[in-house]
């Protein structure tokens, strides 16, 4: 159960009209009141004697009667939402929850006859909206200090009493929620995500790779966002804000987001922590940089958390930055998976409590990030083979972070680490499949012969049973694969592979032999990932223009184009026996 504080305002009638209305996308069902400050207040949805306007006037009456300074935004609005997997609560249960939430927040404590007025409106199965006016009957304003944290504590009690999904109280490590208005505005503008999300990712990428204040702001400016610095009278920079180009409010001024409003670790003091202890800059060739980073990450994974709780918190933060940098410079083949892994690990990188900035594992993660970001020549190279060892080390590091979070009972952070690890394992298997495709040399095909009478014709591509393909290619794992829930996915990938002209048996055997399968939780899923990497690599090679196809060597190139070579004259082609051209009768004069 999550109590979420929404925007406060001044229009009580407008908010009630929205809650009782159909919704902006017709998602409101049977809007009605489940509780109120006075049990005898009629519900506008069920009583002809009460309108929404009348209810708004009743709620606003104490505000109009105030003699002193009135609150600037007097409408208090909180949504209390259950998980989609929770059972549907009755109106009576939601009414009890609403009264307890209003007591915990300080709006209307139990037994206080002079408290604020409020109502609880339900227009969906899984949540209610609490609307109150921040003016007490005695003319004073309520004490709302720490209201949302007190409501979260009340939610934990109801989760236990009502058998709902158990959550933890907020630890101030979560990113800010995208507000409904931001999402609707993004849809109207045809954007795939809200500007807040784009800005958060852009600022995080700049902070992860930066080495100083100047470097950080230069990277932000180069990324194409607006940047505004907050400068103190003594000339020091004390903060910053960013805005998307073209993102303006009704007054046509840019909509600025301070770093702290994007995520807790993007405020300027937290950003500066990244280069508080400088690490030596190191450049390497594109192929060599992956090996150097791999060695550092493997060493750091073994040291994570060994120096104490505070050091572990600083080390997972540096690991999060490393994954962000890896997503920027990774091969295009797996860039989406690593970028998603960086997004999932974001919460895990912000451990609750204080952080130490001088841990050995933290220094190794920072050095790895600097090696990757400084060796920018690798960006754009589709050399997945060189990055395979680094990705395996990154999986090991994320797994170490997951175990550390579990040991500290950071359940949400451990779950985030697990999701990031799964995405990185997918990237590893896709990379393994692509590496196999780069080094693959197809065996010469036998010439097809016409079947004689009584012989069965060969099946068309994609028509032969894929179960037989599995039994022939990987007989040791065939039984496990065919019983795996992911088998239908693997079967579809094999069918597509055959339809593209590949030999499914030969390809499946090749990718299966690339890395061991015994430790895989789902062999079928792992093979599906490898085949996706194979298919993408073969497609990229086939689509590349002449002279630009990637090399078949595992080490990769340096980013420079090869010198043009003179093509030799084609050698005479030898015809197979029996394929000589038939000669006609000799012409006579």
């Amino acid at each position: 159960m999550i109590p979420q504080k929404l925007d406060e305002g001044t229009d009580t009638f407008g908010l009630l009209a929205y809650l009782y209305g159909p919704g902006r996308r017709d998602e409101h069902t049977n809007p009605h009141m489940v509780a109120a400050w006075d049990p005898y207040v009629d519900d506008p949805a069920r009583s002809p004697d009460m309108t929404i306007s009348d209810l708004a006037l009743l709620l606003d009456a104490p505000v109009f009667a105030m003699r002193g300074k009135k609150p600037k935004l007097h409408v208090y609005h909180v949504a209390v939402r259950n998980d989609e997997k929770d059972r549907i609560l009755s109106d009576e249960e939601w009414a009890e929850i609403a009264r307890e939430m209003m007591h915990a927040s300080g709006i209307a404590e139990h037994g206080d006859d002079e408290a604020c007025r409020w109502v609880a409106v339900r227009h969906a199965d899984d949540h209610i909206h609490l609307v109150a006016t921040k003016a007490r009957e005695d003319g004073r304003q309520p004490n709302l200090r720490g209201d949302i944290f007190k409501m979260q504590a009340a939610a934990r009690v109801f989760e236990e009493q009502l058998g709902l999904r158990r959550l933890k109280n907020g630890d101030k490590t979560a990113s800010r929620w995208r507000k409904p208005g931001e999402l609707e505005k993004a849809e109207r503008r045809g954007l795939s995500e809200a500007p807040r999300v784009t800005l958060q990712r852009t600022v995080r990428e700049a902070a992860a790779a930066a080495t100083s204040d100047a470097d950080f702001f230069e990277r932000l400016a180069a990324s194409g966002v607006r940047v505004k610095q907050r400068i103190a009278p003594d000339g020091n920079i004390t903060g910053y804000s960013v805005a998307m180009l073209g993102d303006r409010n009704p007054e046509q001024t840019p909509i600025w987001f301070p770093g702290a409003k994007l995520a807790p670790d993007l405020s300027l003091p937290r950003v500066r922590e990244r280069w508080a202890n400088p690490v030596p800059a190191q450049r390497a060739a594109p192929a060599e940089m992956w090996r150097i980073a791999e060695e550092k990450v493997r060493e750091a994974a073994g040291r994570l958390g060994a120096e104490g709780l505070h050091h572990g918190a600083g080390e997972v933060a540096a690991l999060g930055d490393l994954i962000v940098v890896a997503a920027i410079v990774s091969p295009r083949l797996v860039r989406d998976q690593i970028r998603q892994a960086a997004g999932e690990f974001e919460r895990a990188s912000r451990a609750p409590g204080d952080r130490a900035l001088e841990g050995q594992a933290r220094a190794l993660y920072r050095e790895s990030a600097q090696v990757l970001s400084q060796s920018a020549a690798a960006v754009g190279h589709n050399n997945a083979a060189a990055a395979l060892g680094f990705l395996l080390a990154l999986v090991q590091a994320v797994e170490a972070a997951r175990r550390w979070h579990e040991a500290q009972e950071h359940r949400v952070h451990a779950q985030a680490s697990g999701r990031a690890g799964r995405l990185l394992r997918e990237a590893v298997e896709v990379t393994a499949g692509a590496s196999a495709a780069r080094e693959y040399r197809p065996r010469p095909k036998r010439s097809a012969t016409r079947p004689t009478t009584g012989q069965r014709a060969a099946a068309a591509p994609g028509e032969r049973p894929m179960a037989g393909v599995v039994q022939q290619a990987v007989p040791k794992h065939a039984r496990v694969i065919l019983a795996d829930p992911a088998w239908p996915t693997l079967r579809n990938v094999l069918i597509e592979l055959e339809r593209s002209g590949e030999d499914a048996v030969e390809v499946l055997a090749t990718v299966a032999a690339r890395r061991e399968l015994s430790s895989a939780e789902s062999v079928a899923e792992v093979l599906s990932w490898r085949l996706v990497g194979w298919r993408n690599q073969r497609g990229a090679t086939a689509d590349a223009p002449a002279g630009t196809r990637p090399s078949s060597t595992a080490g990769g190139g340096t980013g420079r184009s090869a010198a043009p070579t003179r093509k030799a004259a084609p050698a005479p082609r030898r015809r197979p026996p029996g394929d000589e051209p038939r000669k006609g009768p000799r012409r006579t004069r």
Side-chain angles (χ1 to χ4, degrees):
M1 180 180 295
I2 301 176
Q4 180 185 358
K5 195 170 185 178
L6 303 177
D7 288 341
E8 298 178 343
T10 58
D11 187 2
T12 307
F13 170 78
L15 177 56
L16 291 176
Y18 167 74
L19 296 178
Y20 275 98
R24 294 186 177 92
R25 299 179 185 84
D26 299 326
E27 73 275 20
H28 294 178
T29 303
N30 187 25
H32 61 281
M33 182 191 302
V34 295
W37 81 97
D38 186 339
Y40 298 103
V41 173
D42 291 331
D43 182 3
R46 298 176 176 177
S47 174
D49 300 326
M50 176 70 71
T51 65
I52 295 176
S53 178
D54 294 335
L55 181 59
L57 289 173
L58 287 175
L59 288 169
D60 285 337
V63 180
F64 297 147
M66 293 182 71
R67 296 182 179 180
K69 183 178 180 181
K70 299 180 181 180
K72 183 178 180 180
L73 301 174
H74 67 270
V75 181
Y76 185 83
H77 185 196
V78 171
V80 184
R81 186 179 302 273
N82 279 347
D83 187 77
E84 59 182 6
K85 297 180 180 179
D86 285 335
R87 67 178 179 87
I88 297 177
L89 302 183
S90 65
D91 282 352
E92 291 74 18
E93 289 172 322
W94 277 119
E96 182 182 359
I97 292 170
R99 286 189 287 268
E100 194 61 37
M101 291 294 175
M102 291 289 91
H103 166 76
S105 67
I107 288 288
E109 297 181 355
H110 297 324
D112 186 355
D113 295 334
E114 303 294 328
C116 301
R117 298 183 177 185
W118 60 273
V119 294
V121 178
R122 182 182 187 183
H123 54 209
D125 290 335
D126 61 348
H127 70 278
I128 59 172
H129 288 261
L130 303 173
V131 180
T133 46
K134 295 190 294 184
R136 292 169 50 86
E137 299 279 2
D138 56 10
R140 296 185 292 117
Q141 296 185 27
N143 180 10
L144 302 178
R145 184 177 182 84
D147 54 345
I148 198 67
F149 297 106
K150 296 175 183 177
M151 295 170 79
Q152 289 174 348
R156 303 295 84 80
V157 176
F158 279 111
E159 289 166 0
E160 184 176 0
Q161 290 180 352
L162 303 177
L164 306 176
R165 179 188 174 191
R166 302 289 296 277
L167 302 178
K168 290 183 64 177
N169 287 340
D171 53 17
K172 299 183 180 181
T173 63
S175 299
R176 292 299 184 99
W177 286 71
R178 269 72 68 193
K179 299 179 181 179
E182 297 177 19
L183 300 176
E184 294 169 6
K185 182 178 180 180
E187 290 180 2
R188 291 196 304 269
R189 295 178 58 190
L191 302 177
S192 59
E193 59 187 10
R196 183 194 297 265
V197 179
T198 306
L199 290 171
Q200 181 187 10
R201 183 174 59 252
T202 303
V203 173
R204 186 171 302 283
E205 290 177 353
T211 57
S212 64
D213 282 20
D215 188 17
F216 172 62
F217 288 114
E218 286 176 5
R219 290 176 181 271
L220 281 181
S223 65
V225 302
R226 297 176 181 269
V227 185
K228 180 172 63 176
Q229 299 177 359
R230 186 169 65 249
I231 302 177
D234 59 359
N236 292 325
I237 302 175
T238 59
Y240 72 98
S241 298
V242 290
M244 289 283 292
L245 295 176
D247 187 24
R248 298 177 177 272
N249 58 21
E251 289 74 29
Q252 294 304 305
T253 58
I255 300 178
W256 295 98
F257 291 89
K261 296 293 184 180
L262 297 175
D265 59 337
L266 294 183
S267 64
L268 188 57
R270 291 291 301 273
V271 168
R272 283 171 169 163
E273 287 182 358
R274 291 165 166 86
W275 50 83
N277 296 324
V279 297
Q282 185 176 0
R283 294 178 181 272
E288 189 69 10
M289 74 172 190
W290 295 113
R291 184 191 61 78
I292 296 173
E294 175 189 351
E295 293 176 354
K296 294 180 181 295
V297 171
R298 288 193 185 278
E299 182 181 356
R303 295 174 177 267
L304 196 151
E307 300 177 71
L309 175 61
H310 298 329
H311 286 83
E315 289 158 1
V316 294
L319 176 57
D321 285 341
L322 173 60
I323 302 175
V324 170
V325 173
I328 299 173
V329 302
S330 60
R332 287 191 178 92
L333 190 68
V334 291
R335 192 169 297 171
D336 287 342
Q337 286 96 336
I338 301 178
R339 183 169 290 166
Q340 292 175 31
E344 291 291 353
F345 194 79
E346 177 194 327
R347 181 72 181 274
S349 67
R350 293 191 293 267
D354 297 331
R355 298 158 302 284
L357 306 180
E358 64 276 359
Q360 294 182 2
R362 177 182 175 88
L364 289 168
Y365 287 140
R366 289 292 299 164
E367 290 173 11
S368 302
Q370 288 301 312
V371 168
L372 297 183
S373 62
Q374 295 296 330
S375 305
V379 179
H381 285 262
N382 197 16
N383 183 14
L388 180 57
F390 169 78
L391 293 178
L392 286 167
L394 208 56
V395 170
Q396 179 183 349
V398 171
E399 177 61 20
R402 185 189 66 80
R403 292 195 300 268
W404 181 83
H405 278 302
E406 286 184 344
Q408 312 307 322
E409 298 185 355
H410 301 158
R411 186 173 61 84
V412 174
H413 304 75
Q415 291 174 350
S417 300
R419 293 191 297 269
R422 174 181 169 80
L423 287 164
L424 288 174
R425 285 192 293 273
E426 179 182 351
V428 165
E429 302 302 343
V430 170
T431 302
S435 301
R438 288 171 65 93
E439 301 173 4
Y440 174 69
R441 295 295 178 269
R443 292 179 293 185
K445 304 292 184 181
R446 294 182 179 179
S447 57
T449 58
R450 181 179 299 178
T452 59
T453 306
Q455 288 184 336
R456 183 178 176 182
E463 291 185 359
R464 61 173 163 174
M466 292 299 112
V469 170
V470 171
Q471 291 169 349
Q472 187 176 352
V474 282
K476 180 180 177 181
H477 302 282
R479 180 176 297 179
V480 174
I481 293 174
L482 296 178
D484 196 311
W487 160 239
T489 302
L490 175 59
R491 181 180 58 202
N492 292 337
V493 176
L494 289 171
I495 291 173
E496 293 178 6
L497 201 67
E498 277 219 333
R499 287 175 177 170
S500 66
E502 301 270 14
D503 186 336
V505 175
E506 188 173 349
V507 172
L508 183 60
T510 302
V511 299
R514 191 67 182 180
R515 295 184 65 240
E516 58 87 20
L517 293 169
S518 302
S519 62
E521 296 180 0
S522 172
V523 178
E525 188 174 48
V526 167
L527 290 176
S528 298
W529 290 338
R530 293 185 191 177
L531 291 176
V532 168
W534 173 287
R535 184 179 59 194
N536 292 345
Q537 178 62 40
R538 299 277 284 183
T541 305
D543 295 341
T548 64
R549 294 181 183 177
S551 169
S552 61
T553 59
T558 62
R560 299 180 181 178
S561 58
T565 58
R566 181 178 297 177
K567 294 184 179 180
R573 191 177 63 167
R574 300 181 63 182
R575 299 180 182 272
D579 198 28
E580 293 84 359
R582 295 181 179 180
K583 298 180 180 180
R586 188 173 183 178
R587 298 179 64 182
T588 59
R589 293 182 180 178

